[in-house]
Amino acid sequence: MLADQPLLVLFLVVAVGYLAGKVRIAGFSLGVAGVLFAGIAAGAVDPRLRLPEIVYLLGLALFVYTVGLSAGPRFASSQRRAGLRWNALALGGILAITAAVAVLAGLLDFRGAKEAGFFAGVLTNTPALAAVVERLGGTADADLPVVAYSLAYPASVISCLAAIAVLQRMWRIDYTSDAVDAGMATEQIVNATAEIHHPLTVASAVRASGGRALIGRIRHHEYVGVAEPSLRLEPGDRVTVVGSAEAVDAVTRLVGQPYPDRLDADRTDLEVRRIFVSDPRLVGQRIAGLDLADRFEAIITRIRRGDIDSLADPGIVLELGDRVRVVAPPQRMKELSRFFGDSYKELGEVNIASLALGLTLGLLLGSVSIPLPGGGSFSIGLAGGTLVVGLLLGARRRTGPLVWQLPAGVNQSLRQLGLVLFLAGIGTRAGQSFAATIVTADGWLLLLLAFGLCLPLAFGVLIIGHKVLGLPMGVATGILAGMCTQPATLVFADEQAGNELPELGYTTVFPAAMITKIVIAQLLLSVF
């Protein structure tokens, strides 16, 4: 019955794997990676239970593309800030594995096809495997890389998950304070009322804080209104200062002293409301360019993106799904709601045209074949192409009427769907080869070798990244996931960290790691 109903197999694997991933043993759980191992188990039971190739390809494309869209706005700045060190760590790990695999192949007399597949499995790179299989064509060796890959792949995933779980417990990692210590955490936003003793403009006070605080409202005698940048503050005025606790304290000392009564508690003249940004015409516009003070007598003091509250810096670029905290006269709130859109229903809808076009561009880029000297060629494959295009379109946000960026909730849902499709598909397809080979001496040897390479690699990258380079643990886990191009490890790292640092590390190193592994796998095939 199951063999005749692949959809039933798919959802059964996803349900069982997801539930199994929630089970915690000694504080450790597989999370969504449980779907992978449920897929391997299903595939091992009967070869007819392997899901069609389109299932994992669709899942991989959706997952990688949505990760790229989400990380695109931060990708360029992260490359400028720390990309060289992060990529050097990832590429160093890849080259170490390359050398180890080459030595083992020479000692154990591996054929080139098995060696290339083993390399792709240790670093869990499906595009590299696909390139090797394509190059072998219909030769007798075509199955060798798939078998070696299917044995090394689970060992790599288990090793990465185990390394993260063990080291975070051993080091007693507090991901939030870890990110704060490294200066990569979002500061909590607070507000306070200050009484002016020293005359100066609003813009001068904001500049003095280094952009880490702003002034939202002012009371001058009986007048209460929003604080425009050019407004001059006079002694006796009271203002609301918004920003990080440290910045609010610094601005308060600069302008005067704290005032006991909260100015923002009086909603008679000014109201505060959270408004959704759902109008696509606002995507890509900076807060400063909206001119809200002149048009609506309003000011944005905070912006909430996903689960993170940030100070409304004038240079912030709006995205669909942002929730802006607006201070304005009560009679202008309806106009402001219409201006921003403020529609939760619209935010739940997917722009099918832009999604399909973006995926099309990614697949086309991934299919481009680049000739190599001495024959052969390589391409960055489906995952590499969709990630690169996702990063570029995510950074651009929109092109004319086409809005590439997805609302945060929609992006997260599509990413989760893509991930479970990929894990279920790749698991069921590897299950039979895994079961057939694991019972042989050669299979046990490959599995032990895989663990022997993957465990030192995973522990080594995390130790060097966190302890030697001083990176936040979240970034180090993301670099490990990006180096091994492992969606399961990335999601596990995200769940542990509870912030976006693993995703930042992942997207920073993923493109270079992907291309490097595709080239090396084909070189190993040629040399050996």
Side-chain angles (χ1 to χ4, degrees), residues 73-120:
R74 303 185 305 274
F75 177 70
S77 61
S78 70
Q79 289 289 351
R80 289 192 297 268
R81 184 174 64 245
L84 186 60
R85 281 201 313 159
W86 297 7
N87 276 289
L89 175 59
L91 294 178
I94 293 171
L95 293 177
I97 288 296
T98 303
V101 170
V103 170
L104 287 174
L107 293 174
L108 302 175
D109 197 25
F110 281 179
R111 296 169 72 171
K114 180 191 285 189
E115 181 189 13
F118 185 67
F119 169 83

Side-chain angles (χ1 to χ4, degrees), residues 335-395:
E335 295 176 76
L336 282 161
S337 290
R338 287 194 297 268
F339 176 74
F340 285 106
D342 202 22
S343 172
Y344 187 76
K345 178 177 177 295
E346 289 181 14
L347 291 175
E349 298 173 352
V350 180
N351 188 328
I352 298 297
S354 66
L355 177 66
L357 184 56
L359 284 167
T360 299
L361 294 173
L363 294 171
L364 288 173
L365 177 62
S367 66
V368 173
S369 183
I370 302 173
L372 291 174
S377 61
F378 89 96
S379 63
I380 60 175
L382 177 151
T386 48
L387 177 71
V388 170
V389 169
L391 288 169
L392 293 175
L393 296 182

